[in-house]
Amino acid sequence: MDIHKLLRNQLNNIVPSDLQEDPSIQSFIKAVNGSYWSFEKEKGSKSPALKETEKVYNEMLGKQEYGNKVKQQSSLNLCKCSGDADQDYLPVNREKKNDLPFNAKYIDRQIAHCKAEIKEKETVQFLKTLLENLQSGILVVDSNNNILYLNQYLCDMQNINSYPDLMTGKNIDGYINHTQVLFKDGASYGNRIIEVMSHKKSVAHEMLETVDSRFFERDYTPIFAENECIGHLWKFTDVTESIKDKNLLKQSEERKSIIINSSFHAIVTVNINGRITFWNNQAEVIFGWKKEEVLEKKLDEIIIPEKHGDGHKQRLRYFKDAGKGFILNRQIEFRAINNNGREFPAEISIIPLEQNGEVFFCCFIKDISEQKKTEIKLKVQEEKYRNILANMNLGLIEVDNNEIIQFANQSFADMSGFEINELIGLNASKTFLFAEGIERLNSKIELRKKGISDVYQIPVKNKKGELRWWAVGGAPNYDDKGRLVGSIGIHLDITEQKRMEAELEKERLKAEEASKAKEAFLANMSHEIRTPLNGIIGFLRELKRQNLTPLQRQYVERSALASKHLLSIISDVLDISKIEAGEMSLETEDFIFENVISNVVNVLDPLAKKKSLELIIEISKDVHSVLKGDIVRLQQILFNLVGNSLKFTSKGQILLKCEVLRNAESWQRLQISVTDSGIGMDQGYAKKIFNKFSQENIAISRKFGGTGLGMAITKELIHLMNGEINVKTEKGTGTTVSFVVDLEKGDVQGIKKIKNEIDVDISGLNVLLVEDNGINRMVANNSLRHFNCLVTEAVNGIEAIEILKTKSFDVILMDLQMPEMDGIEATKKIRKDLKLQTPIIAFTANAFKSEIDKCKKAGMDDYITKPYEEFDLIETICMNIKNSNFVNNSMGEKEKRNDF
């Protein structure tokens, strides 16, 4: 048995050699030998009792030299001592009490026996000292499961609050019950102790974990004497730090493995013979070989094409011989091969390493197939762009920070009239720019210093001194260290474009003048037509108040209908003109949808009945009762669509249908359609139906009349509402026109109340009527006098100002177009010169936004368009007069389109 050096020394110093050979002692020494590596050398000492006995023995032997007398007395003394110490000796002592040799031999045997007992006690004490100094907990149990010994170290490590001597002799069950609470699986801990002792077989390196995360290693050795188990030896070692170190090492190894296997490079190690010893996951991905397929195989047989294998072997031999290699510690490219035999470009770095005197190579390999493809593409792109730069129509130059040309392409040379070699070294700004352009270029140079690029146009001169225009895209130019070294400019000759722009500007001005002329023409036309029409409608209104015969009343009503038809035609022309000029705008107000439909039906149903047509209304119950939108324009759309169906349908029916396509929380998408059984049209013409002044043929135009503007206006109004309109038709069968619009959901509380009757008393209202046309003065005078107003007339602005200098009025009605001084100029003078704030209401024959803006700017308060309804005139006056004495009942808000 291999005994530890320190233990061997102590055994040789303390335990006799014959005792060391004792089988029971050897079993014990073997049990503690494995864990005892550090202890203090025990210094043995001889027992004082042994020394004293030897001294007595030596003195007695000396006394034999004395005479018989002394021998006799000594024999008696020895006999007496022997009798006191050993009762078995007394019978013999009586017979041979005077036999000195006999007594001497007996005493010699007693001395030898005493020495053996002393040595045995010394051995036991030595073993106890040895066990106390072990860095492990020791527990010795006899065959009856009683504790023979446990050391202090065991008590400390297992939190036993008792002295070892106090636990000696107690049954091991108490020890188990006390210590099992320390361990995570306490029940298994105790059961395992009983199980192991019952089997009486050695157990090593059992691992126990405590509840406070410590780790104990437990070993068990049965103690045998003469083939009989006489006891049990348990050893407990605290291996917490060792376990932590192992876990840290394991974690470190795992992290290293994760890092290596997560690398984008294949990592391969080979030994000095070129055989693979490590192969990471990326190597499997790149080369297709599994790790177990390549370990211990030669690298050149796995990843190096056969034609390059000899070179690899040669370099390996050179390293063996010279200890160096020209490809080591460098990044080089080579041709690799995968498990399918496909060659591909790769990049490798080989690093020689040495560990424990053994040299090996760590190879970092990267598949650069995509990189090579990119390089090839980049090379092709570079070549392409090089050709583009050389041949493109854009002139390219590079200048340094002093504006000295460093590079120019052929296109720039052609633009400037110079040769390329003539351009290099020239100062660009001094060569090409006029004096005023140099200052502008200096501001561009400052931008380049700030890293700003921009595009600008600038006049230049070429080699011949001719004026040219260049569009220049300038950008800062930096070197590879990020320092500004100049600018890069891309130039385009836009001389021809500039010429065209000048011509286009002339044409734009002409178009604007034409547009203004068109607007002026429409305004004049509107004025010239509406002015007499205003008189016609006004006189017809006055005739209705007279006592007429039935025939006369019929004539008046027919005349009124004809005048309103003429007015609608004029209104269509003005509406389309407003739309084209971008002056048409929509208002948003709450309205009851069913009321809008009812208003249209109430007006058009008598016409339908007159033609024996059935006008059917279908409104989905899902339509929200109150919606938001432009009620006037929505009604105008419906009047146009249903009116068209009435015009082109002679029998059958007309269906006005409304359904909900989408019902959101705050809005609805409605589809409103009008279907008739009229004459229909060709589907090809349906696409042209929205063109202005368009009808299918002259015969239809003559038969049914109309200007051809209704559908054009309808489409534009729907587009203003962000809606879409669609037409489906069949010749001789009928037509369906539908449109889709999104309308917000409204609130019934927001609906404006509309007054249908004039219920105000403006009697005594003092009105100044400024109107050059006698007919229109008469019409307005009749209406005002009908309501008992006091009217003063003026025929132009000059006359009105003179009257206002001497007389005050409650309201002024001012025509716009008058001789000598028009209404705009007169209003300005009233506001500026006379300092009057009397409400001024404009009489205008057109409602263009530009005209209304002029009125507002001049200081007018409101306007009314001729021809006007008497209701609108009185309501407008009531809204603007400031003297509340003339108003007995509130008129509410004015229900008309008002841009003020």
Side-chain angles (χ1 to χ4, degrees), residues 28 83 156 245 303 369 421 612 828-829 837 855 882:
F28 183 76
D156 294 339
D245 291 341
I303 71 168
S369 301
N421 58 349
S612 300
K828 290 179 180 179
K829 289 185 176 294
Q837 298 303 317
C855 295
K882 295 181 179 179

Side-chain angles (χ1 to χ4, degrees), residues 72 74-100 102-104 106-107:
Q72 185 67 34
S74 297
S75 178
L76 291 172
N77 291 336
L78 287 171
C79 182
K80 186 177 182 301
C81 290
S82 298
D84 294 336
D86 188 356
Q87 297 298 320
D88 294 335
Y89 176 72
L90 290 177
V92 178
N93 187 44
R94 295 189 188 100
E95 297 175 2
K96 296 183 178 184
K97 61 182 179 181
N98 293 321
D99 189 347
L100 185 60
F102 173 80
N103 290 322
Y106 179 79
I107 293 301

Side-chain angles (χ1 to χ4, degrees), residues 814-817 822-828 831 839-865 898-900:
M814 181 79 71
D815 186 29
L816 293 184
Q817 294 186 13
D822 60 25
I824 298 294
E825 185 66 24
T827 300
K828 290 179 180 179
R831 297 301 188 210
I840 302 176
I841 299 172
F843 273 167
T844 177
N846 74 77
F848 282 103
K849 187 175 183 297
S850 57
E851 189 79 6
I852 296 169
D853 290 341
K854 288 179 183 178
C855 295
K856 181 179 179 181
K857 189 175 181 181
M860 293 184 173
D861 297 274
D862 210 333
Y863 77 95
I864 189 166
T865 305
N898 191 346
D899 289 288
F900 286 166

Side-chain angles (χ1 to χ4, degrees), residues 761-766 808-811 837-839 877-889:
D761 184 4
I762 56 174
S763 300
L765 185 69
N766 202 351
S808 62
F809 296 89
D810 298 312
V811 67
Q837 298 303 317
T838 305
I877 292 173
C878 290
M879 287 181 62
N880 286 279
I881 58 177
K882 295 181 179 179
N883 189 346
S884 59
N885 293 329
F886 296 108
V887 182
N888 298 321
N889 297 300

Side-chain angles (χ1 to χ4, degrees), residues 422-562:
E422 294 177 325
L423 289 168
I424 306 302
L426 291 179
N427 185 295
S429 57
K430 294 180 181 179
T431 303
F432 300 111
L433 296 183
F434 297 100
E436 59 273 15
I438 294 177
E439 184 177 349
R440 185 179 181 192
L441 186 65
N442 289 335
S443 66
K444 301 298 179 183
I445 294 173
E446 292 301 317
L447 291 179
R448 305 297 174 262
K449 291 179 181 178
K450 297 177 182 178
I452 300 174
S453 305
D454 70 338
V455 178
Y456 57 95
Q457 297 177 2
I458 193 167
V460 298
K461 55 186 175 182
N462 61 13
K463 187 177 182 181
K464 296 179 180 180
E466 298 170 335
L467 172 64
R468 310 294 293 177
W469 275 90
W470 288 352
V472 183
N477 190 19
Y478 300 96
D479 61 12
D480 55 0
K481 295 181 180 179
R483 296 176 299 191
L484 182 68
V485 294
S487 303
I488 297 176
I490 297 177
H491 302 71
L492 176 65
D493 191 327
I494 58 171
T495 305
E496 186 64 22
Q497 179 183 330
K498 278 291 185 181
R499 184 188 63 78
M500 294 177 62
E501 285 180 359
E503 292 180 357
L504 286 173
E505 179 64 17
K506 292 178 182 178
E507 294 300 321
R508 185 185 67 81
L509 294 174
K510 289 181 180 179
E512 287 183 355
E513 291 175 0
S515 178
K516 290 179 181 179
K518 174 184 175 183
E519 186 175 322
F521 167 76
L522 288 173
N524 288 329
M525 183 195 72
S526 175
H527 182 270
E528 295 302 322
I529 296 176
R530 283 174 175 266
T531 297
L533 189 58
N534 184 56
I536 295 171
I537 293 175
F539 288 133
L540 289 173
R541 184 168 55 244
E542 291 299 321
L543 284 175
K544 285 183 181 179
R545 292 177 178 151
Q546 307 302 318
N547 294 322
L548 303 176
T549 65
L551 181 61
Q552 289 172 334
R553 186 167 298 280
Q554 182 181 2
Y555 290 161
V556 170
E557 289 177 352
R558 296 280 178 90
S559 298
L561 184 62

Side-chain angles (χ1 to χ4, degrees), residues 568-587:
S568 69
I569 294 174
I570 297 171
S571 297
D572 284 349
V573 173
L574 290 178
D575 280 347
I576 203 70
S577 299
K578 284 183 180 180
I579 292 171
E580 289 177 349
E583 294 186 354
M584 180 70 75
S585 60
L586 300 178
E587 292 188 356

